[in-house]
């Protein structure tokens, strides 16, 4: 069995990454994949486990607020291979600083929300309720 025959279809990759089929095609057009997927006879895309791993990394980076142009630049650097590690590191450190700042801002927001909840619980005489984690 060849690699193309054994690869993953776009639906399987969508399921495993949480991206829609439309988003996968968009990522391909935008140069977010390390390599264009192979094609089966008939033109259907075939992805590898490596593609799934890369896309999962991109999903996390995107969810953390990394803009698509920065993800594209990171992809270009990774695609070009060894020799640009300092630039990749700088890109990731810049993003890390943005994420840390976002966490600090969210923490301040959460403190304020908790304070307001306590004010209203006192006002209407309710027992404080523990915060619930999302299901």
């Amino acid at each position: 069995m060849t690699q193309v025959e054994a690869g993953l279809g776009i639906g399987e990759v969508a399921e495993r990454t949480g991206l829609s089929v439309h988003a996968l095609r968009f990522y391909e057009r935008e140069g977010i994949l390390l390599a264009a997927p192979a094609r089966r006879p008939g033109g259907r895309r075939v992805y590898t486990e490596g593609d799934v791993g890369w896309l999962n990394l991109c999903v996390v980076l995107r969810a953390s607020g990394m803009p698509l142009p920065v993800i594209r630049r990171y992809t270009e650097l990774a695609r070009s291979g060894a020799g640009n590690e300092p630039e990749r590191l700088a890109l990731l450190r810049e993003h890390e600083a943005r994420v840390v700042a976002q966490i600090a801002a969210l923490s301040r927001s959460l403190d304020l929300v908790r304070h307001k909840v306590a004010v209203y619980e006192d006002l209407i005489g309710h027992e404080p309720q523990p915060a619930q984690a999302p299901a």
Side-chain angles (χ1 to χ4, degrees), residues 60-61 64-67 70 90-100 102:
V60 170
L61 293 174
S64 70
M66 185 179 276
V70 178
L91 184 148
L92 290 171
R93 281 192 173 151
E94 288 171 16
H95 184 64
E96 177 186 32
R98 285 190 299 271
V99 171
V100 168
Q102 287 173 331

Side-chain angles (χ1 to χ4, degrees), residues 59-83:
V59 166
V60 170
L61 293 174
R62 188 73 187 114
S64 70
M66 185 179 276
L68 282 176
V70 178
I71 295 173
R72 183 182 312 109
R73 178 67 185 139
Y74 184 69
T75 302
E76 290 166 357
L77 291 168
R79 190 182 298 129
S80 68

